[in-house]
Amino acid sequence: MAVLPFDDLGSDEEQAWFSDGITDVIINQLSKISGYRVIGRTSTLKYKEEKKSIPEIGVELGVNYIIEGTVQRQENDMRISVQLIQVLNEDHIWSDLYDREWKDIFDVQSDIAQRIAEELKTVLTPEEREQIKISQTENPEAYNLYLQGRFHWQKRTEEGLKKSIEYFEKALALDTDYALAYAGLADASFIQSWYGWAPWVE
């Protein structure tokens, strides 16, 4: 299956990180389910600009199911729309609309993965259910900052990496045990050193 980049319906370009972040998280959540072959983000990112039909994308990626959706966020309110589509006949197997507050983001992400599994008649093991529910932090604001950090990290530019480090450090200031933020910090520092934008750290 493939998760296409979610469309951002917001008018604020500064919120673009939100749609990318939600897409990445859903990919990661579904990848935790054994038996699922989930296409990586790098292979689906091009469909953010290329507008092709579901059958065309399905053939190109070699998948039977595609997940697409939209997101919109305004301050502490968010709206996430998700659809699960069967490639063969473009049947919409499942769709839902989540109107929630940002503090509920972890529950929404877990629910999306579980609902998709249910619709595909997948029996989750207790371990898989637990993995889907696990969030690396219980602090929604730290998660907010982490997603923004990853958004800028993906740009792979000198300025983007500087910004990503700032966001990762802010996330860690709110949750000193946030493993993903530490990983993001390490990733950004490595790329900075690789391109000569910062000295190597031994």
Side-chain angles (χ1 to χ4, degrees), residues 65-115:
Y65 300 97
I66 283 178
I67 297 150
E68 63 177 9
T70 62
V71 300
Q72 190 170 9
R73 184 179 176 189
Q74 187 171 13
E75 297 182 353
N76 290 322
D77 296 322
M78 64 177 180
R79 169 174 286 187
I80 301 175
S81 173
V82 191
Q83 299 180 76
L84 172 64
I85 305 169
Q86 188 172 37
V87 171
L88 183 62
N89 47 21
E90 294 189 75
D91 273 355
H92 285 62
I93 299 174
W94 167 77
S95 65
D96 208 342
L97 179 65
Y98 297 86
D99 277 314
R100 304 285 182 83
E101 293 182 2
W102 178 249
K103 64 181 178 63
D104 299 321
I105 184 62
F106 303 126
D107 292 336
V108 170
Q109 291 172 166
S110 296
D111 187 68
I112 290 172
Q114 291 190 61
R115 292 289 300 278

Side-chain angles (χ1 to χ4, degrees), residues 9-21:
L9 301 183
S11 58
D12 186 357
E13 292 185 1
E14 292 298 316
Q15 295 288 338
W17 57 268
F18 181 45
S19 58
D20 286 358

Side-chain angles (χ1 to χ4, degrees), residues 137-154:
T137 179
E138 295 182 0
N139 188 317
E141 182 55 29
Y143 180 60
N144 184 352
L145 293 165
Y146 168 76
L147 290 183
Q148 293 182 70
R150 276 299 177 190
F151 173 74
H152 289 288
W153 178 82
Q154 293 284 358

Side-chain angles (χ1 to χ4, degrees), residues 128-142:
E128 287 170 339
R129 289 187 180 278
E130 191 63 28
Q131 282 296 314
I132 289 173
K133 290 180 181 178
I134 290 176
S135 61
Q136 292 282 343
T137 179
E138 295 182 0
N139 188 317
E141 182 55 29

